[in-house]
Amino acid sequence: MRIDVHNHLLPEPYVDLLTDWDTPVGLESDGDQLYMVHRRSGTASVAAGNRIPVNEGFTDVDARIEWMDEHDVERTLVSVSTPNPVDETFTTAQSTQLIRAINDGYADLQSTYPDHVAGLGMLPLRDPEAALDEVDRIVDDLDLPGIALPTSINGRKLSAPELEPVFDRIDEAGLTAFVHPHGNALSDELGDDESFLNPLAVFPTETTFQIVRLIYDGFFDRHDFDVVLSHMGGALLHLAGRFDRGRSEIDDPAARPDRPVPEYVREFYYDCISFHRPALRAAIETVGADHLVFGTDYPFDEEDTKTIAADLEAVVPEDDDRRRIARSTATELFDLQ
C-alpha cells in the first residue's frame, strides 16, 4: 500500500466561499460544470484560457476512495494547489478567510475519513500574525499532520524578514512542509493557447528558482523543519553541481550559504513524479531512496499513477527501498499512525 503525499482536494467550506464570491481567481459554474479560474495555471488538457474543469476527484471522497482502491493507495495527504488562496487577487482578509476554510475543511474530512484522508494545512502568509495563529491552530486544534507551502508569496521570497517568526514557530512545532509551486512572471510570457505549459514548465522552474534563492540567502541555515519538494524538485537535483560551483566562486568567507549546496539538496525530500526513468535514477543516486516519497498529482490531468508506479518498479530494485518510497518515509515525516 502507498501513501500519496502529492494529492489535491478542494474542501467544501473553501468551495462554498469561492462560489459565493465574484473574484477573478476562484470557482465559477457553467451549467452543472464547476471550473477553477486562474491567472497563472492550466492543465495539459486545457489548450486555451485558465479554466480547469473540477472533476469529481476534487470534491467527491467516494470517487477518491474508489481511485485509491484501484491504485493501492492507503492514504492521501491532500493540499490545495489552485485556485491559489494566497493570490494577490484576493484581499489579505479574504486570503486568510479562505485558508482557514481550507484547514477547517481538511480537519473535518480527516475526522470523517481517518483511514483515507490527511490534510496539509495552509498558512495565511500575507498576514504574518494570522499565520502564526494558524500554525498553532493546525497543531493544537485541528491536528493536521503537516503544512503545504507555496514556493513564494506573489513574488516575495519565503525568507522575507516579516515571516521569520512564522518559520521559527514551524521549527518549534516540528511540522513537515510539502512545497508546491504556482505560476510566476514566466507565465505572463505564455500565449492564450499555451497555458498548459504552466504546470509542465513554469511550475518546476519556479521550484528550482525559489529553493536555490532560499539556500543562497541562508533560509535553510536558520530553519530546520523537514521539506518535501513536489515534481521531484524541478531541476534542483540536476543543477546542484552548477549551483555549488557558483558558491565556490564567491570570494567572501561570510557569504551564504554556510555549506556546500549539495548538502542542502540531500536534506530535502522529493516526490517521485518525473515520468522519466533516467531522472528518477539520478535522483536516487543523488539523495538516496530514503529521501523520495510517493506522489501522483491526483486528480489533475497530469496524474498517471500507473506510470509512476511502473517507473518505481523498474528503477528501484530493492523491495525495502520501494516500501520506503511508497509508505514508510511519509509515515515518519508526517507522523502518521
Side-chain angles (χ1 to χ4, degrees), residues 15-331:
V15 171
D16 289 345
L17 281 177
L18 288 179
T19 51
D20 284 345
W21 294 354
D22 182 15
T23 51
V25 169
L27 295 172
E28 65 179 31
S29 297
D30 187 351
D32 294 332
Q33 179 63 57
L34 193 63
Y35 291 90
M36 305 177 192
V37 184
H38 317 273
R39 289 186 307 130
R40 295 169 167 173
S41 194
T43 71
S45 68
V46 179
N50 283 324
R51 294 208 322 167
I52 299 174
V54 177
N55 63 50
E56 63 181 3
F58 284 105
T59 56
D60 186 332
V61 179
D62 289 335
R64 170 175 296 269
I65 292 173
E66 182 178 335
W67 170 86
M68 293 169 68
D69 290 341
E70 178 184 354
H71 295 286
D72 294 323
V73 174
E74 172 185 347
R75 194 178 305 186
T76 54
L77 271 66
V78 295
S79 57
V80 169
S81 166
T82 192
N84 178 4
V86 299
D87 192 282
E88 61 192 9
T89 299
F90 302 113
T91 68
T92 299
Q94 285 176 325
S95 178
T96 298
Q97 187 178 355
L98 287 169
I99 287 167
R100 288 178 64 91
I102 289 169
N103 295 343
D104 288 340
Y106 281 167
D108 287 343
L109 284 167
Q110 187 173 281
S111 177
T112 305
Y113 302 95
D115 296 329
H116 294 93
V117 176
L120 298 179
M122 296 194 74
L123 301 177
L125 293 171
R126 291 173 56 185
D127 182 345
E129 286 299 321
L132 277 170
D133 292 341
E134 201 63 14
V135 173
D136 291 340
R137 208 168 72 92
I138 285 169
V139 174
D140 297 333
D141 300 333
L142 304 181
D143 197 29
L144 300 179
I147 56 173
L149 290 176
T151 42
S152 61
I153 310 296
N154 299 321
R156 289 187 302 129
K157 293 190 291 184
L158 298 184
S159 57
E162 63 270 22
L163 293 177
E164 283 293 299
V166 178
F167 290 105
D168 287 341
R169 188 71 59 85
I170 291 170
D171 284 333
E172 294 168 8
L175 289 171
T176 294
F178 171 70
V179 179
H180 192 287
H182 300 280
N184 60 27
L186 288 175
S187 302
D188 300 334
E189 300 297 315
L190 300 175
D192 290 342
D193 61 345
E194 295 178 314
S195 66
F196 66 93
L197 288 174
N198 271 300
L200 303 184
V202 177
F203 282 17
T205 301
E206 165 75 0
T207 297
T208 307
F209 176 58
Q210 297 296 351
I211 295 299
V212 77
R213 293 179 82 194
L214 294 176
I215 291 172
Y216 262 89
D217 72 10
F219 180 83
F220 296 109
D221 296 310
R222 299 189 297 275
H223 302 291
D224 61 1
F225 59 92
D226 287 320
V227 170
V228 178
L229 298 179
S230 58
H231 313 118
M232 217 163 71
L236 188 68
L237 294 173
H238 308 289
L239 295 176
R242 184 176 182 85
F243 294 146
D244 196 51
R245 178 72 177 178
R247 175 188 178 274
S248 68
E249 293 177 356
I250 297 175
D251 188 19
D252 179 1
R256 296 294 182 96
D258 291 346
R259 297 176 285 144
V261 171
E263 291 190 19
Y264 300 91
V265 168
R266 286 193 293 268
E267 290 175 352
F268 303 143
Y269 295 81
Y270 304 82
D271 73 24
C272 58
I273 302 175
S274 73
F275 305 109
H276 189 53
R277 291 180 183 180
L280 181 58
R281 291 189 187 97
I284 293 172
E285 184 176 344
T286 302
V287 301
D290 58 338
H291 275 249
L292 267 70
V293 294
F294 187 76
T296 66
D297 219 345
Y298 177 85
F300 280 103
D301 290 336
E302 289 78 16
E303 174 266 324
D304 184 350
T305 306
K306 290 182 179 179
T307 296
I308 293 167
D311 287 349
L312 285 171
E313 286 289 328
V315 170
V316 185
E318 298 294 332
D319 288 344
D320 285 348
D321 286 340
R322 286 200 297 271
R323 282 192 291 268
R324 194 172 287 120
I325 294 170
R327 190 182 189 282
S328 60
T329 296
T331 300

